[in-house]
Amino acid sequence: MRQIHLFLRHILFWGVLLCLILLAYAVLRQRPQDLPWTKIDLDQPIGLFTGRKLAALTGERAQCLALLEQAGVSYSAMEPGGSGQCVYDDAVRLKAERGALAYAPAAVAPSCPVVAALKLWEWQVVQPAAQRIYGQPVASLRHFGSYSCRRMYGRSAGDFSEHATADAIDIAAFVLADGRQISVLNDWDGKAKDAEFLRAVRDGACDLFSTVLSPDYNKAHRDHFHLDQAERGAIGGRACR
């Protein structure tokens, strides 16, 4: 019993010490986004806990929509839909905005937590990488859709996909301002710049989404990035491959 008490005391000590170190780091660097208990702000740079906070927006429709509004994102909130295991209640369709990434097809409506992560990805990962590597912005993203009432990998049994609740989107290609297209299928192992860009945006997505799957994961993802905001991401259950 005494050994258990000592063990628990050590755990408590190191836990408090870690919190104090984290607090000091965030305060000294003026980065509240690196603290787990601060509110998420889409106008702030990506922090240590940004991905978890985005995933925690699942089920917090009003809070998530308020974040988009605060950040100046133009959107249309969709009516709840679906049935059974395929219900969605916080789907959002982005409106066309000058200077913002366009989505093709434009009618896609992922869940609000996915859209919030997509906007941060656009602002702080995709466009900076495009400017650094190509000297121009990305004009649009081509995708394979978001909502789809199905199980994982289209199987007849097993867990339902995050697509079944609009909590995922599959990104297939990026179209630059000059019209050139960089696709996951054709360019993942293509020219140096294209491969560099695709890996940069894949790696950056890992800080924002609960799950990021690319051609490095399996053949089923050879032509797209699967990005989802599974609830497990709020407590650290994340996957990046």
Side-chain angles (χ1 to χ4, degrees):
M1 183 65 69
R2 185 168 180 274
Q3 288 181 331
I4 293 176
H5 285 163
L6 286 173
F7 175 75
L8 292 176
R9 193 174 299 172
H10 279 294
I11 291 294
L12 179 61
F13 170 79
W14 287 111
V16 170
L17 181 61
L18 180 61
C19 287
L20 289 174
I21 292 172
L22 188 61
L23 178 60
Y25 168 83
V27 170
L28 289 173
R29 296 195 62 191
Q30 297 184 337
R31 287 178 57 90
Q33 65 271 30
D34 288 334
L35 296 172
W37 54 80
T38 57
K39 291 183 179 180
I40 186 171
D41 184 345
L42 300 184
D43 292 323
Q44 291 290 329
I46 298 168
L48 296 175
F49 290 88
T50 299
R52 294 189 184 191
K53 293 174 185 178
L54 287 166
L57 292 172
T58 298
E60 302 293 338
R61 183 176 186 271
Q63 179 186 352
C64 187
L65 294 180
L67 278 173
L68 295 183
E69 292 175 7
Q70 181 183 352
V73 177
S74 295
Y75 68 88
S76 295
M78 311 304 290
E79 291 295 325
S83 61
Q85 295 288 329
C86 300
V87 172
Y88 60 89
D89 60 8
D90 60 352
V92 169
R93 179 173 295 158
L94 289 168
K95 294 182 179 180
E97 292 183 86
R98 185 174 182 179
L101 281 180
Y103 284 76
V108 67
S111 69
C112 184
V114 170
V115 169
L118 284 171
K119 294 308 291 185
L120 278 179
W121 190 49
E122 171 189 342
W123 296 332
Q124 301 190 33
V125 178
V126 174
Q127 296 296 24
Q131 288 289 357
R132 175 173 56 84
I133 296 170
Y134 298 111
Q136 61 178 305
V138 173
S140 64
L141 297 179
R142 301 192 185 281
H143 63 85
F144 292 151
S146 176
Y147 177 73
S148 176
C149 184
R150 60 178 173 82
R151 299 177 190 271
M152 293 178 66
Y153 298 107
R155 294 168 180 160
S156 59
D159 294 336
F160 275 82
S161 166
E162 294 298 323
H163 285 282
T165 51
D167 283 313
I169 188 170
D170 292 336
I171 304 296
F174 304 79
V175 181
L176 299 175
D178 65 5
R180 184 183 165 203
Q181 177 173 286
I182 298 97
S183 76
V184 177
L185 177 63
N186 296 323
D187 300 309
W188 183 254
D189 293 318
K191 296 179 181 178
K193 281 190 175 183
D194 298 339
E196 179 187 357
F197 173 76
L198 289 173
R199 281 161 178 77
V201 297
R202 188 275 308 270
D203 293 348
C206 294
D207 293 327
L208 299 169
F209 294 90
S210 298
T211 310
V212 177
L213 303 178
S214 71
D216 280 348
Y217 182 58
N218 62 16
K219 289 183 178 180
H221 295 85
R222 67 188 180 281
D223 59 355
H224 69 277
F225 295 151
H226 169 90
L227 312 177
D228 78 42
Q229 214 58 287
E231 290 186 65
R232 58 175 164 71
I235 56 173
R238 312 181 70 76
C240 175
R241 180 71 188 276

